[in-house]
Amino acid sequence: MTIARKPDEFVPNTFMYNLPDNTDGNKHATLTFLKRGQIVAQMEFGLLESKGETILALPNIIEFTNSHDMVNLFLLHIQSDTIVFNYTTKNGLVEDFKFSLAGFKENYLEQFI
């Protein structure tokens, strides 16, 4: 995971997640935020291929076109303890992996102390 922010801002403006090498970039991936095993938020997105890597790049504030709903990814990272990425491999298999957010708040906020 890579987080980008403007130098004069506290909150990130972009989140980028590098997915495994065997990810099919033509398929969507599901991003699920969990807190103690319970779903906090779940979203599906298209992927990007860049320099041989498959990437999920998202703005901090996501506005959904089919509704008036908005999601703040920074807050989701703080409120959650795990992200589960569900993706399709180049062989057509559906797989997932878990990414722990343990220490995210502390490590991110540490940068400003």
Side-chain angles (χ1 to χ4, degrees), residues 33-41 70-83 101-102 104-105:
F33 288 86
L34 302 174
K35 175 74 173 199
R36 296 186 183 125
Q38 300 296 311
I39 295 176
V40 176
M70 294 172 51
V71 172
N72 183 320
L73 279 182
F74 182 58
L75 289 178
L76 277 178
H77 282 80
I78 289 173
Q79 295 168 348
S80 305
D81 57 22
T82 306
I83 304 174
L101 291 172
F104 174 81
K105 288 183 276 197

Side-chain angles (χ1 to χ4, degrees), residues 18-111:
N18 289 33
L19 278 79
D21 292 340
N22 66 341
T23 302
D24 184 345
N26 296 315
K27 304 286 184 179
H28 286 193
T30 303
L31 187 61
T32 305
F33 288 86
L34 302 174
K35 175 74 173 199
R36 296 186 183 125
Q38 300 296 311
I39 295 176
V40 176
Q42 186 173 53
M43 301 161 275
E44 184 176 278
F45 299 100
L47 302 172
L48 301 171
E49 298 223 10
S50 174
K51 299 179 185 175
E53 294 183 337
T54 305
I55 298 170
L56 176 56
L58 301 171
N60 180 41
I61 303 296
I62 299 171
E63 297 181 39
F64 295 98
T65 56
N66 297 341
S67 69
H68 297 289
D69 293 334
M70 294 172 51
V71 172
N72 183 320
L73 279 182
F74 182 58
L75 289 178
L76 277 178
H77 282 80
I78 289 173
Q79 295 168 348
S80 305
D81 57 22
T82 306
I83 304 174
V84 178
F85 295 88
N86 186 276
Y87 63 97
T88 304
T89 67
K90 292 177 181 175
N91 297 343
L93 301 172
V94 176
E95 297 204 6
D96 60 32
F97 70 90
K98 293 182 180 181
F99 182 81
S100 173
L101 291 172
F104 174 81
K105 288 183 276 197
E106 296 82 359
N107 293 334
Y108 184 83
L109 298 175
E110 230 172 52
Q111 298 176 41

